[in-house]
Amino acid sequence: MEVCYKSWGQSCFVCICLTCSLVLLSKVPVHGQQENAVQTEAETSPDEQQAPARVDVEPVAEDADIGSRLKKILVATKWFIDPQVRVEEGVVFLTGEAKTPEDREWASKLAGNTQDVVAVANRMTVTKPSPWDFSPAWLEIDKLRRNTIQTLPVLLIAVGLLLVFWVAAKLVAKLSRRIASHRTTNFLLQEVVAKAASIPVFLLGIYLALRISGLTRLAATVLGGTGLLGIVLGIAFRDIAENFLASILLSVQRPFRTGDLIVVEGRKGFVQSVTTRGTTIMTLDGDHVQIPNSTIYKSVIENITANPNQRQTFVVGVDYEDSLEEAQAVILDVLKQHTAVLAKPESLVLVDALAASTVNLRVYFWISIAKHDGLKVRSSLIRLVKNALVEKGFTLPDEAREVIFPKGVPVRMLDASHQPMKERRSALPADRNNEPEEISTQSEGSLTSDAEEIEQQAKNSRQPESGENLLPPKKLEEAGESHGEEKI
């Protein structure tokens, strides 16, 4: 939950900064726009002033009066440097320097609209600004300062409203998460429900904050672009979205849980965690393997530990001359006496095939994989069955092979020590016949399962991927099953 609050805080901080910037930019006036009405006529830029339609001097204006009147007007505006006006026969000649081309054009219109002026010869030059003149920049900064002060109250209200909705979204998320926890123990579903309930509340806060700030069009764009943005992100991050949806389905359906031994795409290992990206398993060799959730969801999953019992098998070949019924009885007796073999389901010894030099017997037995390791038990049983058959005088021939003796076959007489297997078995001491066979040898080790050892190794190892495990802990899930809790 701490990670979720941090992500909410970062998102809110970015949204607040973006809102403030948009509000300030929206209040900056465009160049050439009319200034405040408090400014005097002399302080207003000439492109914002309209030349008078008519300048009345006298019913019949003299050239001197026209020139004097125009010069006084040009000097009063303070937009020109050393303006000079000369009038001859109604033709006005303007000289001097104008600060901008707009000022020069304004002077021409002014003179043309003066009474008894028949033509205007504007010979004014435009002053080229110095590259070191920063007055336009300072003017813009001053305008921005004034607009910031004017919009500050509205901006504070918008930010305050955004903070209120942010707190409301957190409360809604917490309440939704608590309600969802009573319905399901799935952590991912709880987070999805919490975000689905809180995000619309926060988006409503952003919309109202933009409306109050005067950015109505941007507010409508935010609401209208949310769905389009989701489609674009879905296409751009298709694999990420596919793995995320697969993680939701896996956490809901739960084909496995933490600690289960599964086989997916030919990889066998114990489940360690399931994140929004993939599932981490630890193989029997102690290696961490990350498999994308989409691959797991679409693949065949073999859950070995879902059923606590597992059937194992191996093949034993006896000689054609041996009694199959006796061989089956000897093998079955070994299976019944073995401590790791379950009594139910019962073990079977079936005739499997007639091979080249042997009659193959296939042995089936059941073990509890929660307690014992299948490979170790199988090794122990093969060793015990082989010893039992040899001790009972059964022959275990190998595959028939052709042997060529180019110089003939040497023949020699056997002494008394070379006896058939049955005779030699009967000649063994009585205590040797009754000596019990060890269930497991030192090389085979303990017959217990390696799941606990691998689980301990997983706890001591570094997790290859950070992220919250979507599967509940094994002890918590077992406790829920013991209390009969229903899983969604």
Side-chain angles (χ1 to χ4, degrees), residues 18-19 22-23 26 158 161-162 202-227:
L18 179 61
T19 305
L22 293 174
V23 170
S26 64
L161 182 64
L162 192 61
F202 188 66
L203 288 178
L204 179 61
I206 295 177
Y207 174 76
L208 294 178
L210 293 176
R211 287 293 300 269
I212 292 176
S213 304
L215 303 175
T216 306
R217 184 175 299 178
L218 180 60
T221 303
V222 169
L223 292 183
T226 304

Side-chain angles (χ1 to χ4, degrees), residues 208-286:
L208 294 178
L210 293 176
R211 287 293 300 269
I212 292 176
S213 304
L215 303 175
T216 306
R217 184 175 299 178
L218 180 60
T221 303
V222 169
L223 292 183
T226 304
L228 180 61
L229 180 62
I231 296 175
V232 173
L233 292 178
I235 297 175
F237 301 98
R238 181 180 59 185
D239 294 338
I240 297 177
E242 186 179 8
N243 288 325
F244 179 76
L245 293 177
S247 65
I248 296 178
L249 295 176
L250 289 175
S251 60
V252 171
Q253 298 176 359
R254 292 188 187 178
F256 47 77
R257 64 183 183 182
T258 304
D260 281 357
L261 181 62
I262 64 173
V263 179
V264 179
E265 292 289 326
R267 299 184 180 275
K268 182 178 181 180
F270 292 90
V271 177
Q272 301 301 309
S273 64
V274 176
T275 62
T276 55
R277 176 188 174 274
T279 300
T280 302
I281 65 174
M282 176 173 278
T283 64
L284 301 180
D285 297 330

Side-chain angles (χ1 to χ4, degrees), residues 337-341 365 367-384 437-451:
Q337 295 180 6
H338 201 283
T339 57
V341 177
F365 61 95
I367 64 171
S368 174
I369 57 176
K371 300 178 181 179
H372 301 96
D373 183 84
L375 295 177
K376 297 179 181 179
V377 175
R378 185 172 178 270
S379 172
S380 173
L381 285 174
I382 292 176
R383 176 176 53 83
L384 294 176
E437 188 78 17
E438 295 183 359
I439 298 298
S440 63
T441 61
Q442 184 177 2
S443 60
E444 292 171 346
S446 175
L447 299 181
T448 58
S449 175
D450 294 336

